[in-house]
Amino acid sequence: MKRDPKNSRRPNDGAANLAMLKRTLEKLFSYYPVLAPVTFACILFSAIVTSIPSLFVQNVIQVIEKWYVSRDWVSAKAELVPILSLLISLYVLSIIAILVYKQLMAYMTQGFLDKLRQEMFGGMQDLPIRYFDTHQHGDIMSFYTNDIDTLRQLVSQSLPSLLQSAIIVLTVLFIMLYYSVWMTLVVALGVVAMIFVSKTVGGGSATYFVRQQKAIAKTEGFIQEMMNGQKVIKVFCHEEAATEDFDKINEALYEDSRKAHAYANTLGPIIMNIGNVLYVLIATAGGLFLTLGAKNFSISGMAFSISIIVPFLNMTKQFTGNINQVSQQINSVIMGMAGAGRVFALMDEKPETDDGYVTLVNAEEKDGQLVETDHHTGLWAWKHPHGDGTLTYTPLRGDVRLFDVDFAYEKGKEVLHDVTVYAEPGQKVAFVGATGAGKTT
């Protein structure tokens, strides 16, 4: 059975996305070598602080268990106050870190896009005419609008959220192992199921998000071309054919967008419900371990108790919730990578090489000869250096002569062949010919 290439993912898609993500981060850090590390340090700190309340909950429950029988709440207060004070202090510092990184990220995102647009536009000025004649103008405009907007979402929202969720997941995992390896293994079973679902559903979503970006660019290019040629369409009664072509392109965009969001919207509820089932399994397993007096195996060496089971339930919710967050952000990252791929493809286009050595300069006449001058004189001349070191200056007259010109955008596909054109000074020349004859070229 043959596979449809449109519905199959290439083997190197993942590697290509990672390469695009790496290049995007390198660009961000090159534009902001100081602010970017500070921002990511704030994200790291806030994520770690968000992960550690379970440690404090365990300590608080342990203190309450210790003094519950004797009812010596004064002694309990003496132990609880330092723990709660430290937790409050960490939360205050976390709030400050979040505020700082949110403001810095907003500043860097807009600056990053501004610098990227400047770099794109500057590089575009050096591209050969062939590029603009072989790409729809609407497609080129899409680089600066839709594709750049996906990078805005990636840098300002997806990357910080993905990084924060990943750090929380890793931190909570280590805390789980610290308390109980057996309980962590139960969680691991649920994580395996989540990864399987994310890979299956998320893979389809990623494929269609990439296709959606390309379909949007194609749609914009078609609309721009039809708008520019609206008079020609009217003159030749091409309205119905143009509408049919648009319907096909629009339908393709609809299908890609529908399937991309259908996969993405399905993934979240599935992961969330797997997390709910896992929560019940952890509660059941914890209850059985306590009832049967099972021996705990952990880094801390602590025995099974309520002070371990209760924080473990909270960590399970936190763990699965952030895995769900990671799975949701991956789709945004994939869409951002699709936009980044198109943006970097434009930036990587080979510029036109200027091998010319004849230049147009300001000139003035001295002793019957033209000489170059550094100020505007209203007289222009072609400066022609020769191999022996001499220079000749030819006055600019506007006398254009092209002899036996062949031209092709692609090798072997000539657009113009053996063309000779004359344009005398002051003469107006009009090119008349059928559509596709090569007038614009």
Side-chain angles (χ1 to χ4, degrees):
M1 181 178 179
K2 294 183 179 180
R3 296 180 66 190
D4 184 357
K6 291 184 178 180
N7 294 328
S8 59
R9 298 187 71 196
R10 294 174 298 178
N12 62 344
D13 276 353
N17 287 331
L18 287 177
M20 287 297 104
L21 181 59
K22 180 182 177 183
R23 188 170 178 182
T24 302
L25 289 174
E26 287 175 351
K27 278 287 183 185
L28 180 63
F29 275 79
S30 67
Y31 292 154
Y32 297 99
V34 176
L35 291 181
V38 171
T39 302
F40 281 91
C42 290
I43 295 174
L44 177 64
F45 176 78
S46 64
I48 293 175
V49 172
T50 304
S51 309
I52 61 176
S54 298
L55 290 172
F56 291 88
V57 170
Q58 189 272 332
N59 289 330
V60 168
I61 293 176
Q62 201 170 34
V63 170
I64 293 174
E65 283 182 329
K66 177 181 176 183
W67 298 105
Y68 178 76
V69 178
S70 63
R71 303 287 180 171
D72 188 358
W73 300 119
V74 175
S75 299
K77 180 180 178 182
E79 293 186 32
L80 289 174
V81 169
I83 297 174
L84 297 177
S85 299
L86 178 58
L87 181 59
I88 291 172
S89 300
L90 289 175
Y91 272 133
V92 171
L93 292 175
S94 177
I95 291 171
I96 295 173
I98 292 173
L99 180 63
V100 170
Y101 100 70
K102 287 286 186 181
Q103 294 299 316
L104 289 178
M105 189 57 74
Y107 171 77
M108 286 196 305
T109 299
Q110 299 307 318
F112 171 73
L113 299 182
D114 176 58
K115 295 176 187 293
L116 201 60
R117 281 192 294 263
Q118 290 181 22
E119 191 172 342
M120 288 168 57
F121 193 79
M124 197 174 68
Q125 305 309 304
D126 298 326
L127 294 181
I129 296 177
R130 177 183 68 253
Y131 181 84
F132 301 97
D133 283 348
T134 54
H135 289 75
Q136 292 178 319
H137 293 174
D139 186 16
I140 297 174
M141 290 169 60
S142 183
F143 289 119
Y144 295 90
T145 54
N146 185 66
D147 294 323
I148 281 288
D149 189 61
T150 62
L151 281 177
R152 177 189 61 77
Q153 295 178 22
L154 173 69
V155 174
S156 65
Q157 300 173 16
S158 301
L159 280 182
S161 180
L162 184 64
L163 178 62
Q164 189 172 32
S165 297
I167 293 170
I168 291 174
V169 166
L170 290 175
T171 306
V172 171
L173 177 62
F174 284 119
I175 296 174
M176 285 180 169
L177 289 171
Y178 176 78
Y179 281 140
S180 176
V181 173
W182 304 131
M183 300 278 282
T184 304
L185 289 177
V186 177
V187 174
L189 294 176
V191 173
V192 170
M194 290 180 178
I195 292 175
F196 175 77
V197 171
S198 297
K199 186 176 181 180
T200 303
V201 180
S205 177
T207 301
Y208 286 108
F209 270 125
V210 172
R211 290 176 57 176
Q212 174 187 280
Q213 289 300 112
K214 295 178 181 179
I216 289 173
K218 186 176 181 180
T219 303
E220 290 183 356
F222 181 83
I223 293 173
Q224 191 270 343
E225 186 176 326
M226 293 300 103
M227 292 299 293
N228 286 347
Q230 192 62 225
K231 293 181 180 178
V232 177
I233 292 174
K234 291 289 186 183
V235 168
F236 290 95
C237 301
H238 196 69
E239 293 92 342
E240 290 188 7
T243 301
E244 290 177 2
D245 292 339
F246 173 77
D247 287 342
K248 292 177 183 178
I249 296 174
N250 191 46
E251 182 66 21
L253 173 59
Y254 160 75
E255 285 295 329
D256 291 335
S257 299
R258 181 185 65 80
K259 291 177 181 178
H261 289 89
Y263 277 113
N265 294 338
T266 302
L267 183 60
I270 294 176
I271 296 294
M272 183 180 65
N273 282 288
I274 292 176
N276 292 334
V277 172
L278 188 58
Y279 184 87
V280 174
L281 290 177
I282 286 293
T284 304
L288 288 174
F289 289 148
L290 283 176
T291 303
L292 299 175
K295 185 178 179 180
N296 189 23
F297 176 62
S298 65
I299 298 174
S300 65
M302 292 185 293
F304 277 119
S305 65
I306 293 296
S307 63
I308 289 180
I309 302 300
V310 172
F312 224 97
L313 289 172
N314 294 331
M315 285 189 290
T316 301
K317 269 293 184 184
Q318 191 176 27
F319 190 82
T320 56
N322 280 280
I323 287 182
N324 188 24
Q325 185 72 16
V326 169
S327 66
Q328 292 296 312
Q329 292 302 327
I330 285 176
N331 290 315
S332 299
V333 171
I334 294 297
M335 190 163 62
M337 290 303 94
R342 283 173 46 79
V343 168
F344 289 134
L346 174 62
M347 296 173 67
D348 291 339
E349 284 288 336
K350 188 177 180 180
E352 186 174 30
T353 56
D354 185 2
D355 299 323
Y357 53 89
V358 178
T359 56
L360 189 63
V361 298
N362 285 294
E364 60 183 2
E365 191 171 349
K366 286 186 178 181
D367 300 329
Q369 291 186 338
L370 289 177
V371 295
E372 186 177 352
T373 179
D374 58 357
H375 59 274
H376 180 67
T377 60
L379 179 62
W380 299 90
W382 295 105
K383 180 181 177 181
H384 188 170
H386 299 280
D388 57 2
T390 60
L391 297 171
T392 57
Y393 293 92
T394 304
L396 176 67
R397 296 192 299 267
D399 189 359
V400 179
R401 298 176 184 270
L402 305 178
F403 297 98
D404 303 326
V405 175
D406 293 335
F407 181 82
Y409 292 115
E410 299 179 16
K411 190 175 181 179
K413 296 181 180 180
E414 289 188 349
V415 179
L416 302 178
H417 177 67
D418 197 21
V419 174
T420 299
V421 177
Y422 302 90
E424 302 290 345
Q427 186 179 20
K428 293 182 179 179
V429 178
F431 293 97
V432 181
T435 301
K439 299 187 295 297
T440 304
T441 301

